[in-house]
Amino acid sequence: MDSPRYGILGSLRLNDVQGQPLKAAKPRQLLATLLLHPNRFVSTDLIADALWESTPPRSATANIRTYVRALRSVLEDAGLPASIDTSAAGYSIEVGVDELDASLFESLLAEGGHLKDAGDGRQAMQVLSRAYALWRGRPLEDLIIPAAWEGSLNRLEAQHRGLVDSLLDLRLQYGDASGAAVLLSARLTDDPYDEQLWRRLVDALLAAGRVGEARAAYGKAVQTLADELDIKPGPELEAAGARAENGRSANWPNPGIPAALKTPERAETPPGPMAAPELTDPLRPPSQLPLDLPDFSGREDHLDQLRDLVCGRDPVRPPIAVVSGAPGTGKTSLAVRLGHMVRDSFPDGQIYLDMHGATQPRDPAAALTDLLLSLNLPDYAIPTDPERRSAMLRSELASRRVLIILDDVATAGQVTPLMPGTGASAVVVTSRNRLADLAGADSLPLDTFDDGEAVALLESVAGPGRVDRTTSAAEEILAACGNLPLAIRIVGSRLAQRPDLSPGELARRLRDESSRLDELSIGELAVRTSADLSYDSLSPEEARLYRLIGHFAVGVFSARALEAIASPASVRRSLDRLIEVNLVRISSVDHRGTARYRMHDLLRLHAIGVGDEGQQADAVKDVATVVDAILNKIRRANNALAVEYFGVLEHTGPLTSPDPAPFTETDAIAWFDSERSTFVPAIRAAAQNGLHEYAWRIAAAWGPYLDMRAGFDDWGESHRQGLQSAIESGDRWGEAIMHRNLGQLGIYQDDWDTAAHHLDQAATIFAEVGDRFGDGISAVGLGTWLRERGRPDESLAQYEKAIEAFMEVGNANGEAVARTAASSIWLARDDTVTAGRYLAESFLLGVRLADAHRVAKVRRRIAELRIHQGRHYQAVRQLRHSLNTFTSLGDDHCAAWARADLGHALMKCGELAAARKMLLDSMEIGRRLGDRSVEGQAAQHLGRLYLQTGNLDWARRTFDRAARVWQQAGHDARATACRRELAAFENDAAAG
């Protein structure tokens, strides 16, 4: 038997993998937690308990995301097929029954039990022996066992004990005494004081002809009971010992073998005159499944999950599965394909009922009649009372094995009377609604296809040779369809029926969003028609929110962002309904429990187009209301930040809307963190609805937060759109702000050409509009660019220009920044006196402003000055102050630089272990943030540390990394200096 890919019945194991790809403790603990709950979403709370017991860190949720990304990467690199999904419910690992030993164990256990109950003991013994062979020891014995696992582990161990008992009886019954002895020995390892187990082991060994081992077993039993419990063997064990001494067969007396099952003889009673006639031509069972799609593809995992569910052997609880999803996700196709796959498992028939939930929902009473007629009951026998019909259906299904597919169900109440009460029948329900209130049902939500499934369906429907998956046309077609199965089937059918229509031409037609839904229509298949059915079921309030989301949600969004148009309670009620009918889905849930939502692109286009002209115009007004509320809340949050932003804000006057509850600094940062994923989509939505002033202002307004959190990806995306919107609205000042911020981002990311372009543009436009503060901000950016490109004289001129501008407008924060920057030029010239004067003035300005962040930045430069002066311990003291401030403010970017500097200073003080940790942390943060400069600086210092300690191999590796990072950052001179420094040391070592 091939070993499953994943093993938890013993130590955590990844089979068929060279080496050990997963060594870190926390990812191993995470993988084990997910494998204990395969194919089910595990909440972040449970994962946190498993990883940290009762004391998870404040960053637990972020850490878990990091571990999940690492785990995905390891599994992918190792060639393991399981995917880890993320949803509002948590995280889930998808593994097939044969891929996880615990799942295969439970499957074999169920199969063996069924065979045993059916009287096929020999086959049951073989199946249960396979299950027993999967057990390698205590589950996850190589890991720390947290309390969060105890329930799952106790269940597995209880199943194992039951397996051993069942298998023991079967082996004794069918003469496998040696095999029984193995099982008994294993049981005694866990329970060495059970006299009955010892007695059965002695007799099993005797039955196998192993008399000497039987005597030894009896002796060990006597000693164990005496040593540990201070008791003598009971009569039964003592008798077994006597048999062992005499060498008698274990068949005398019976060693506990179960009595053979006897089938009572049935009395032959001659039929009486009133006996019912024997049916020689029974009615055929129903077989009502619609035609299976010949080109069905994808959904393999869902099919396996459904098959495992409906083919279960639970004699008490009939399986009920609810397949739910948005319009066009292929719910009916999946249910019908499943029905054809499992026909042999339901010999009493397969019944299909269309419940018409999206149009005219079928009455449950009429559906009950249809089901009873399908089971071959005569119509005169069907009760008129619906409750009695429901009871009759439950009675009929209790003794049959029937598969019932109820397609397109509107509500749980529509099908609750149709559910079986007990027995081996199964029900599959499909619905646009989630039907969370259908008692006893297992939910199987469908999303769109993944990329592989999407391209496979397109190729299958379009026909051989019509689509080349490697072309850009195929990618564009699938992107336009959003991987929605219905849309893919439509475009595939068009390609199949229109040989004159090339994939390239079809892709071009789908490119236009305004006509895309018209293109996604063929015959009776149409995405728009499918979405209309769901839209028509909405109330006016729900429909208004649906239209707003269509105009606003060009990405993820939060419920709070929509509350500007109505009360929070009303918005959440309507949003809950949209989720229930699968027009909106939950994208993620953060550690605070705040959900993010998403609308499929084709549904978004549908939402934009529904309603009359007045309703569509109102939807755009609602978007304006929402983005105006977002902008004003960002302004309010900015007012609460303690860190003064070095940049041009888009608004400095009084708020344009009342401030109902002023932010504290902690609340402001928490709000930015929680709503961060909303802002970029809101900027795009404002632009797409012609609200360009809102687009650039929101981009500019959250600049302080982006700078503090080093949110470089969001920074670039939001400001590129903001720049385009500022140009569209003809706002030159806004254009200058966007250029300056993009220039600063270019410096942070070592994108020197881009930085130069934007900073030059910003300086030109600020001068044009007469903004002296903007002049100073741009000059500092240009000065930094010139300094980093090796042009210190020109850099100093820009810094002096900035100081002049800031003094003119009376901005002390800007002046402190410019003076600090200028000091770096004087320090590079070894003029510590002038550098010290500039830094003293900067420090005093920061203190007067009570700006802890600015003071911390000046301290970093003062520490650099102290190192030049050879006063290394003073440098360490300054840097520790800086690092504490940056860490308390959540400024990871500045903290990374402070760590690099502190590591260097600690090296100078001879504190090499502490220096190494600081430098490694700085490198990691720099790599994570995408700042190659800080990563390169820290790596270069670390290389010197390794040289200092004589660790040439690690020095070589670290200098090589530093050189590569500097080169990627465009600092060729620094890369060359790294290599020269290493080469010089190697030459000296060789010469010595």
Side-chain angles (χ1 to χ4, degrees):
M1 179 179 63
D2 292 337
S3 298
R5 292 178 181 270
Y6 298 88
I8 63 173
L9 300 180
S11 59
L12 179 63
R13 178 183 290 179
L14 305 181
N15 291 320
D16 301 328
V17 177
Q18 297 297 323
Q20 175 53 270
L22 193 61
K23 297 180 180 179
K26 286 294 190 285
R28 285 173 63 80
Q29 204 86 350
L30 169 64
L31 176 60
T33 304
L34 296 178
L35 290 174
L36 282 170
H37 308 83
N39 305 308
R40 289 160 50 196
F41 282 100
V42 183
S43 69
T44 52
D45 288 343
L46 191 150
I47 293 173
D49 288 343
L51 268 58
W52 295 283
E53 286 283 2
S54 58
T55 57
R58 293 179 61 187
S59 59
T61 300
N63 291 349
I64 290 171
R65 284 197 297 268
T66 300
Y67 297 147
V68 168
R69 285 196 297 269
L71 187 54
R72 284 183 179 132
S73 177
V74 168
L75 297 183
E76 182 178 352
D77 291 344
L80 295 170
S83 63
I84 299 177
D85 289 338
T86 306
S87 82
Y91 298 93
S92 167
I93 188 167
E94 298 180 9
V95 290
V97 172
D98 295 334
E99 292 176 335
L100 174 62
D101 59 3
S103 297
L104 182 57
F105 170 79
E106 292 184 326
S107 175
L108 292 171
L109 204 62
E111 183 180 353
H114 176 69
L115 290 167
K116 184 180 178 183
D117 293 341
D120 192 350
R122 288 191 180 277
Q123 187 65 26
M125 183 170 63
Q126 293 180 9
V127 172
L128 293 177
S129 296
R130 288 177 59 202
Y132 181 79
L134 292 169
W135 206 271
R136 296 176 284 110
R138 288 189 176 278
L140 301 172
E141 58 189 8
D142 60 330
L143 300 181
I144 298 171
I145 305 299
W149 290 356
E150 288 180 359
S152 298
L153 296 182
N154 289 341
R155 176 178 56 81
L156 285 170
E157 289 177 344
Q159 289 176 327
H160 181 250
R161 289 192 295 271
L163 163 68
V164 172
D165 288 339
S166 297
L167 192 52
L168 176 62
D169 290 340
L170 289 169
R171 285 183 175 177
L172 288 170
Q173 181 178 354
Y174 290 99
D176 184 7
S178 293
V182 172
L183 293 172
L184 286 162
S185 297
R187 280 289 307 274
L188 282 163
T189 301
D190 296 328
D191 195 359
Y193 312 119
D194 189 327
E195 283 194 57
Q196 289 302 315
L197 290 178
W198 283 113
R199 192 267 303 173
R200 297 182 79 181
L201 175 61
V202 171
D203 281 333
L205 290 169
L206 282 171
R210 296 154 61 181
V211 177
E213 291 177 56
R215 291 171 182 164
Y218 177 74
K220 186 175 181 181
V222 172
Q223 184 177 358
T224 300
L225 294 172
D227 291 348
E228 300 295 332
L229 303 178
D230 195 25
I231 62 173
K232 294 181 179 180
E236 292 183 350
L237 178 56
E238 196 170 42
R243 289 193 293 274
E245 187 64 31
N246 296 328
R248 292 182 179 273
S249 169
N251 292 324
W252 183 88
N254 190 305
I257 299 173
L261 296 175
K262 295 183 179 180
T263 303
E265 295 182 1
R266 182 180 297 176
E268 295 292 338
T269 305
M274 298 301 292
E278 184 178 352
L279 295 176
T280 57
D281 185 18
L283 295 171
R284 293 180 180 177
S287 183
Q288 301 176 354
L289 296 175
L291 180 66
D292 190 15
L293 290 174
D295 48 18
F296 182 93
S297 72
R299 303 293 190 204
E300 296 301 327
D301 292 342
H302 291 91
L303 278 170
D304 289 342
Q305 188 176 346
L306 268 177
R307 181 172 52 196
D308 291 344
L309 176 63
V310 302
C311 294
R313 303 288 192 232
D314 189 338
V316 177
R317 177 181 173 271
I320 302 168
V322 174
V323 181
S324 62
T329 48
K331 302 178 291 294
T332 301
S333 300
L334 176 65
V336 171
R337 166 54 62 99
L338 170 79
H340 286 283
M341 285 177 60
V342 300
R343 282 189 62 190
D344 292 343
S345 298
F346 295 92
D348 295 321
Q350 308 86 43
I351 300 175
Y352 173 88
L353 277 185
D354 187 346
M355 301 299 291
H356 301 293
T359 51
Q360 296 293 326
R362 177 178 287 192
D363 178 52
L368 280 167
T369 300
D370 290 342
L371 285 173
L372 291 170
L373 290 173
S374 296
L375 293 173
N376 295 318
L377 270 71
D379 54 2
Y380 59 80
I382 297 175
T384 57
D385 179 52
E387 291 187 7
R388 291 182 60 199
R389 282 184 226 170
S390 182
M392 176 179 280
L393 177 65
R394 291 193 294 273
S395 296
E396 290 296 325
L397 293 177
S399 58
R400 307 191 196 206
R401 191 166 178 82
V402 178
L403 175 66
I404 301 174
I405 296 178
L406 303 175
D407 192 23
D408 190 18
V409 171
T411 64
Q414 189 186 16
V415 292
T416 297
L418 314 185
M419 296 297 107
T422 189
S425 292
V427 181
V428 177
V429 174
T430 75
S431 179
R432 297 177 179 224
N433 303 328
R434 295 179 179 270
L435 304 188
D437 53 341
L438 183 59
D442 289 280
S443 178
L444 187 73
L446 291 189
D447 204 342
T448 54
F449 274 170
D450 62 33
D451 291 342
E453 292 174 324
V455 74
L457 178 60
L458 180 61
E459 289 176 335
S460 176
V461 177
R466 281 294 278 139
V467 180
D468 181 355
R469 66 169 62 198
T470 64
T471 62
S472 60
E475 293 179 1
E476 194 171 350
I477 289 171
L478 292 173
C481 293
N483 284 5
L484 187 71
L486 175 60
I488 297 170
R489 185 167 293 281
I490 290 170
V491 295
S493 297
R494 294 191 68 188
L495 290 173
Q497 297 178 22
R498 291 278 308 276
D500 59 319
L501 180 63
S502 70
E505 171 61 18
L506 180 58
R508 186 193 65 77
R509 294 182 183 183
L510 292 171
R511 206 170 294 153
D512 183 359
E513 286 193 350
S514 64
S515 61
R516 185 177 298 168
L517 289 180
D518 295 327
E519 294 291 336
L520 294 176
S521 174
I522 185 170
E524 294 185 358
L525 294 178
V527 173
R528 189 193 304 277
T529 302
S530 182
D532 281 344
L533 294 174
S534 293
Y535 175 75
D536 290 342
S537 69
L538 302 177
S539 70
E541 293 79 11
E542 295 159 359
R544 178 192 179 190
L545 190 67
Y546 177 68
R547 294 190 296 269
L548 165 61
I549 293 173
H551 284 79
F552 173 73
V554 289
V556 296
F557 62 96
S558 70
R560 285 187 294 194
L562 308 178
E563 291 172 0
I565 67 162
S567 70
S570 174
V571 167
R572 291 182 186 279
R573 280 195 302 270
S574 296
L575 188 57
D576 286 345
R577 172 61 178 159
L578 296 178
I579 294 169
E580 170 68 19
V581 298
N582 284 294
L583 292 175
V584 170
R585 67 180 180 87
I586 298 175
S587 178
S588 64
V589 177
D590 65 18
H591 66 283
R592 299 176 182 83
T594 303
R596 294 289 178 278
Y597 307 92
R598 182 182 293 276
M599 178 182 280
H600 190 279
D601 273 351
L602 292 179
L603 291 176
R604 181 176 61 81
L605 297 180
H606 176 265
I608 291 173
V610 294
D612 56 33
E613 290 185 6
Q615 290 173 326
Q616 292 180 18
D618 288 342
V620 175
K621 292 179 182 176
D622 284 343
V623 172
T625 300
V626 168
V627 294
D628 182 74
I630 289 173
L631 177 58
N632 278 282
K633 199 162 186 179
I634 292 174
R635 291 169 175 170
R636 289 172 48 213
N638 281 339
N639 288 343
L641 295 180
V643 177
E644 185 169 350
Y645 175 55
F646 183 71
V648 182
L649 288 171
E650 54 80 41
H651 178 83
T652 55
L655 297 175
T656 59
S657 62
D659 189 353
F663 280 110
T664 65
E665 182 183 10
T666 301
D667 290 341
I669 294 173
W671 179 77
F672 272 124
D673 286 343
S674 67
E675 292 299 311
R676 178 171 177 168
S677 61
T678 297
F679 298 136
V680 173
I683 292 165
R684 288 201 300 265
Q688 289 184 9
N689 286 278
L691 305 169
H692 290 293
E693 185 173 357
Y694 281 111
W696 81 256
R697 286 186 179 276
I698 292 174
W702 77 321
Y705 170 79
L706 290 170
D707 203 10
M708 182 179 66
R709 282 286 195 252
F712 296 157
D713 290 342
D714 287 339
W715 189 328
E717 192 171 356
S718 63
H719 279 67
R720 282 189 289 271
Q721 177 60 67
L723 176 58
Q724 187 175 346
S725 286
I727 294 171
E728 288 285 340
S729 60
D731 195 315
R732 294 287 282 169
W733 184 62
E735 190 179 340
I737 294 174
M738 293 293 99
H739 276 302
R740 180 268 162 190
N741 290 359
L742 286 168
Q744 185 64 43
L745 177 63
I747 290 175
Y748 283 155
Q749 296 187 310
D750 308 306
D751 187 353
W752 305 108
D753 291 342
T754 299
H757 165 72
H758 286 298
L759 290 171
D760 283 337
Q761 289 292 314
T764 300
I765 301 174
F766 277 130
E768 173 191 315
V769 299
D771 186 337
R772 288 292 286 148
F773 180 67
D775 288 342
I777 295 289
S778 299
V780 171
L782 286 169
T784 301
W785 187 93
L786 290 162
R787 183 189 68 198
E788 293 298 310
R789 306 318 293 158
R791 295 156 65 178
D793 295 342
E794 296 171 81
S795 171
L796 184 58
Q798 288 290 339
Y799 290 147
E800 295 292 354
K801 176 182 177 182
I803 292 171
E804 181 183 346
F806 291 135
M807 291 180 69
E808 182 179 321
V809 297
N811 189 283
N813 179 58
E815 183 184 348
V817 173
R819 289 186 180 278
T820 303
S823 73
S824 65
I825 305 298
W826 293 108
L827 202 55
R829 295 175 175 177
D830 284 328
D831 186 343
T832 57
V833 174
T834 306
R837 187 176 69 250
Y838 272 83
L839 288 171
E841 291 168 344
S842 299
F843 189 83
L844 185 59
L845 287 168
V847 170
R848 287 173 178 171
L849 289 168
D851 187 340
H853 190 266
R854 178 57 48 207
V855 170
K857 284 195 165 188
V858 178
R859 283 185 185 276
R860 267 195 63 219
R861 294 299 184 188
I862 292 174
E864 188 178 354
L865 172 65
R866 296 293 177 253
I867 289 176
H868 269 70
Q869 295 170 332
R871 298 154 67 180
H872 303 132
Y873 285 102
Q874 291 185 18
V876 168
R877 188 166 62 250
Q878 294 286 350
L879 288 166
R880 288 196 190 281
H881 280 297
S882 290
L883 181 56
N884 288 338
T885 299
F886 294 142
T887 303
S888 67
L889 293 173
D891 188 342
D892 290 345
H893 191 218
C894 287
W897 277 108
R899 288 178 186 276
D901 294 343
L902 182 54
H904 180 218
L906 289 167
M907 283 172 56
K908 296 289 187 180
C909 296
E911 299 181 29
L912 301 185
R916 179 176 176 273
K917 184 180 187 309
M918 280 293 167
L919 294 172
L920 286 170
D921 287 348
S922 178
M923 289 167 61
E924 173 58 25
I925 297 171
R927 184 197 61 77
R928 174 169 56 82
L929 296 178
D931 190 326
R932 300 183 186 92
S933 293
V934 68
E935 183 183 358
Q937 187 71 69
Q940 191 167 355
H941 287 320
L942 186 60
R944 290 168 182 160
L945 185 151
Y946 286 133
L947 289 181
Q948 186 175 334
T949 56
N951 194 334
L952 186 58
D953 183 46
W954 278 101
R956 188 179 294 112
R957 295 186 199 179
T958 309
F959 268 120
D960 182 63
R961 175 174 175 179
R964 283 187 287 105
V965 170
W966 282 130
Q967 206 148 14
Q968 291 169 357
H971 287 294
D972 294 338
R974 294 185 183 181
T976 302
C978 278
R979 296 191 173 100
R980 284 177 179 169
E981 189 171 352
L982 178 62
F985 182 87
E986 290 179 326
N987 291 337
D988 290 344

